[in-house]
Amino acid sequence: MKPREILPGVLAVGAQDFDRRLFDALIPLPDGTSYNSYLVRGRARTALIDTVEPAMLHVLKANLEGVDRIDYLISNHTEQDHSGSIPWVLERFPGVELLASEPAKTMLADHLGLPPERIRTVADGEAVDLGGRTLRFIYTPWVHWPETMSTYLEEDRVLFSCDWFGAHVASTELFVDGTHCVEDEAKRYYAEIMMPFRKIIQKNLEKIRDLEIRMIAPSHGQIYRDPQAILCAYRDWTDDKPHNSVVIPWVSMHGSTALMVERLTAALAARGVAVFPFNMSVADIGQLAMGLVDAATLIVACPTVHVGPHPAALGAVVLANALRPKVRFASIVGTYGWAGKMVETVKGAMPNLKVEFLNPVIAKGMPKAADFEAIDRLAEAVAAKHAEIGLPEGCPLSRSAG
Ligand code: FEO
């Protein structure tokens, strides 16, 4: 994509990566991604905010052809999808001053091998004057690394937020349009990248509460011309109160656990609880993560394999433990043949989750009538716990097991 103007004198010069299908060798990218870089021109000076993934450097190079001078290169975040092309920019524009937060200095040296003397650290609240345009730096730590900051273009009220408010989506459309008030992609991105830092994101949201923001320009995905929807979504996603929903990552080898999940899903739905079952043999882990953003309860369902839980289900537990969702309750349903330590292993794999465990339901072989009755009691207990913490009954979001 050629440079595109988001405002007079402010250009998007980054790259759309339509073909990328995996991030961090883990996260599915069904819609590709983008590495947004912004050129901001003042009357006297020019700044470049963030760069691009090195694999897409040719796009940045082409978009900066004809630019004879960049005074400031601002690194909001040192992860290589944004910082990886900094060495080229330093070489191409030898007079450019590289600006980054204090914690970013050593990280840029560690990740890119940059000499520390090439990096000028800026303080929280410090600004640079481009001539009629002011770029102010706002430390926004842990969105999602310790050094992350946002850059605010004061006169035009644009927040360049890097990963924060971003979405893994490649698009020829520069702006989020009115039909996508809160993009699914933004929720997926929050779930996979930001959720472990929910508490500190609450503080960062508070920090920018009084900032007048006309536009949010993240470094992945499209630009928000009306930022209220994404700000509201972030407040909801980071809020301590979960939704009246249950996430069930499940695996079944011979159909027994599947029968239990089917019964549990129906029993919860009949009690007004939204259910999001994910068959971990085929599930998109991004969708599982999105379900965990809101869920009040996590129920793991799996058969016993070699004494322990099925590895695919255990993988879901490990992921949930890493993402630290705001779930309040947890339980386990599943099966065994002759012996097992599935319950202990699953429980032990989620130390980060501050949950109350509800009685598990473990069937020997094919579930019998008594097991199904126990599942109904588990559903009843979940609904009662949700009611106890004030979650509303009913939710239109429930979907069938997949
Ligand atoms: Fe988009 Fe944390 O890098």
Side-chain angles (χ1 to χ4, degrees):
M1 301 281 295
K2 290 185 183 305
R4 293 175 291 171
E5 191 174 73
I6 68 170
L7 287 169
V10 182
L11 300 173
V13 293
Q16 306 297 312
D17 194 344
F18 289 95
D19 292 332
R20 190 162 179 179
R21 284 293 168 268
L22 205 58
F23 203 86
D24 290 344
L26 173 69
I27 298 170
L29 300 178
D31 303 303
T33 191
S34 70
Y35 319 105
N36 301 341
S37 173
Y38 299 98
L39 193 74
V40 183
R41 295 183 190 279
R43 283 197 301 271
R45 283 167 285 279
T46 297
L48 183 69
I49 300 175
D50 290 321
T51 68
V52 298
E53 172 77 42
M56 302 299 278
L57 175 58
H58 60 285
V59 178
L60 184 68
K61 282 182 179 178
N63 285 346
L64 294 181
E65 263 178 30
V67 175
D68 51 14
R69 174 178 161 167
I70 294 176
D71 299 278
Y72 300 118
L73 171 55
I74 296 162
S75 175
N76 278 332
H77 176 29
T78 63
E79 194 166 6
Q80 291 88 331
D81 50 325
H82 309 291
S83 70
S85 296
I86 285 177
W88 175 80
V89 177
L90 296 183
E91 193 180 324
R92 166 72 177 75
F93 300 95
V96 70
E97 201 169 13
L98 174 58
L99 309 181
S101 70
E102 181 67 42
K105 187 165 185 167
T106 53
M107 295 175 75
L108 284 168
D110 290 343
H111 292 304
L112 301 175
L114 296 180
E117 61 273 16
R118 284 297 322 251
I119 305 161
R120 176 183 143 197
T121 58
V122 292
D124 187 18
E126 191 176 334
V128 291
D129 178 14
L130 304 182
R133 276 192 158 132
T134 311
L135 291 172
R136 190 166 298 282
F137 308 109
I138 303 170
Y139 278 25
T140 46
W142 295 108
V143 291
H144 59 120
W145 279 11
E147 88 299 2
T148 45
M149 69 177 189
S150 299
T151 298
Y152 180 58
L153 175 53
E154 289 191 339
E155 290 76 7
D156 300 283
R157 298 173 178 79
V158 180
L159 186 71
F160 298 96
S161 58
C162 202
D163 280 344
W164 200 19
F165 306 119
H168 278 314
V169 56
S171 176
T172 57
E173 301 301 307
L174 190 53
F175 298 103
V176 173
D177 67 32
T179 59
H180 292 84
C181 57
V182 177
E183 302 263 346
D184 268 359
E185 292 90 344
K187 185 172 188 179
R188 175 187 280 266
Y189 192 87
Y190 168 84
E192 293 164 336
I193 307 287
M194 299 285 166
M195 187 155 58
F197 313 105
R198 185 174 64 84
K199 284 290 185 186
I200 199 160
I201 293 173
Q202 288 176 352
K203 290 183 187 164
N204 284 325
L205 286 170
E206 202 51 41
K207 186 170 183 177
I208 64 164
R209 178 178 285 278
D210 295 328
L211 204 62
E212 194 180 335
I213 301 173
R214 182 177 144 200
M215 199 180 280
I216 291 180
S219 288
H220 293 293
Q222 295 160 297
I223 296 167
Y224 293 88
R225 277 188 290 206
D226 176 5
Q228 285 316 308
I230 188 69
L231 287 167
C232 274
Y234 259 75
R235 287 191 195 106
D236 178 48
W237 298 336
T238 57
D239 189 78
D240 292 335
K241 192 164 188 174
H243 292 191
N244 186 21
S245 64
V246 173
V247 162
I248 309 175
W250 66 276
V251 181
S252 190
M253 296 193 297
H254 300 290
S256 297
T257 303
L259 286 173
M260 298 174 82
V261 170
E262 192 175 295
R263 177 70 167 239
L264 180 60
T265 300
L268 287 165
R271 289 163 175 81
V273 179
V275 188
F276 297 89
F278 296 96
N279 179 348
M280 296 312 300
S281 300
V282 294
D284 171 341
I285 61 167
Q287 290 193 334
L288 170 66
M290 288 165 76
L292 288 168
V293 169
D294 306 312
T297 298
L298 169 66
I299 299 179
V300 181
C302 70
T304 300
V305 179
H306 302 314
V307 184
H310 191 289
L314 188 59
V317 178
V318 169
L319 182 68
N321 185 63
L323 294 178
R324 297 171 183 256
K326 54 188 164 191
V327 287
R328 304 277 285 274
F329 310 101
S331 192
I332 302 159
V333 302
T335 57
Y336 71 103
W338 48 92
K341 290 186 177 296
M342 181 174 63
V343 171
E344 297 91 320
T345 306
V346 170
K347 271 185 167 180
M350 51 174 86
N352 294 338
L353 305 186
K354 307 303 174 206
V355 291
E356 176 183 344
F357 274 96
L358 306 178
N359 283 337
V361 181
I362 309 299
K364 190 169 191 298
M366 186 74 81
K368 323 289 187 304
D371 300 310
F372 289 125
E373 285 162 17
I375 283 183
D376 290 345
R377 287 195 295 279
L378 174 59
E380 189 62 36
V382 168
K385 288 291 179 187
H386 286 198
E388 250 177 56
I389 62 169
L391 301 184
E393 282 191 14
C395 179
L397 299 176
S398 185
R399 66 176 178 78
S400 58

